[in-house]
Amino acid sequence: PSNLAAIRADDHLLGVWTTRKTEVLERLTLDLAALVRRNQPQLVTARNLYAQVALNPHAEAWYAQSLDQALRDYDFTALMAMPSMEQAPDPIAFFNALVEAVKQRPHGLERSLFELQSTDWRHRRDLPSTELADQMRLLYSLGVRHLGYYPDNPYRATPDPAVIQPVLAAQSSLPAVSR
């Protein structure tokens, strides 16, 4: 039906709509990547996903994002591993659940980058660098291979490079991932 309310009222139709919407967005970005790759053959692609896409089976309908499709179609999948943004009551449980969900997918950890937040946007404050470093250590201990964080503010030295750099350097001896 052309009526979106009718589609949302029917679970089957909503499923079809969600799948099509996700596939159209994926196809658009992959077609654009193919065009760019003509002049930039070294192009590496990444799809950014909300954590809920990995944690909640209903999230694809909300965001038109699919972890399985992203892992299949892009070189990397960047997951927003941000417990403050998600208002997770237990950040450690949040990280454990997110990593476990990614581990269940073929090449999940090899091709996923876990994005951490260095700012609590809700309360407009920088997170302590030690907290970010502890999150990195936890994720590495759970088997995560690729980490990132943002924002990085060199003018305020947040996060503090002296705190973050040793954690990242400790993981630099891992072998590279090839596709």
Side-chain angles (χ1 to χ4, degrees):
S2 60
N3 181 327
L4 191 53
I7 292 171
R8 289 188 174 151
D10 182 302
D11 286 342
H12 173 72
L13 291 176
L14 181 60
V16 172
W17 168 255
T18 297
T19 300
R20 287 185 183 167
K21 189 169 55 168
T22 303
E23 287 172 355
V24 165
L25 288 170
E26 292 262 328
R27 179 57 34 220
L28 172 66
T29 59
L30 293 171
D31 287 350
L32 290 171
L35 287 171
V36 172
R37 204 170 264 121
R38 289 180 190 167
N39 294 313
Q40 303 288 329
Q42 74 283 7
L43 178 72
V44 175
T45 60
R47 175 81 195 263
N48 197 57
L49 303 180
Y50 288 104
Q52 289 302 315
V53 173
L55 298 172
N56 186 328
H58 302 289
E60 184 177 349
W62 308 332
Y63 302 117
Q65 297 177 340
S66 165
L67 177 58
D68 293 321
Q69 287 180 17
L71 287 168
R72 180 192 70 211
D73 294 339
Y74 299 92
D75 297 303
F76 288 94
T77 298
L79 288 156
M80 297 171 71
M82 303 177 177
S84 293
M85 187 178 81
E86 295 282 342
Q87 299 181 35
D90 182 348
I92 293 173
F94 169 82
F95 286 128
N96 279 311
L98 186 58
V99 171
E100 191 56 38
V102 172
K103 278 183 180 179
Q104 300 304 312
R105 274 56 179 213
H107 308 289
L109 290 179
E110 285 176 42
R111 306 224 341 250
S112 293
L113 174 118
F114 289 71
E115 295 177 290
L116 299 170
Q117 65 187 104
S118 61
T119 297
D120 181 346
W121 297 288
R122 196 173 315 283
H123 298 103
R124 297 180 182 185
R125 67 178 180 89
D126 293 324
L127 294 174
S129 298
T130 53
E131 182 179 329
L132 184 61
D134 288 343
Q135 291 175 350
M136 290 175 164
R137 282 187 202 92
L138 171 65
L139 288 168
Y140 282 138
S141 77
L142 295 173
V144 168
R145 308 240 351 236
H146 309 286
L147 285 178
Y149 65 86
Y150 71 88
D152 189 41
N153 190 326
Y155 301 106
R156 289 198 319 258
T158 59
D160 183 349
V163 175
I164 301 302
Q165 191 276 337
V167 179
L168 296 173
Q171 295 301 314
S172 65
S173 62
L174 289 174
V177 176
S178 62
R179 177 138 194 204

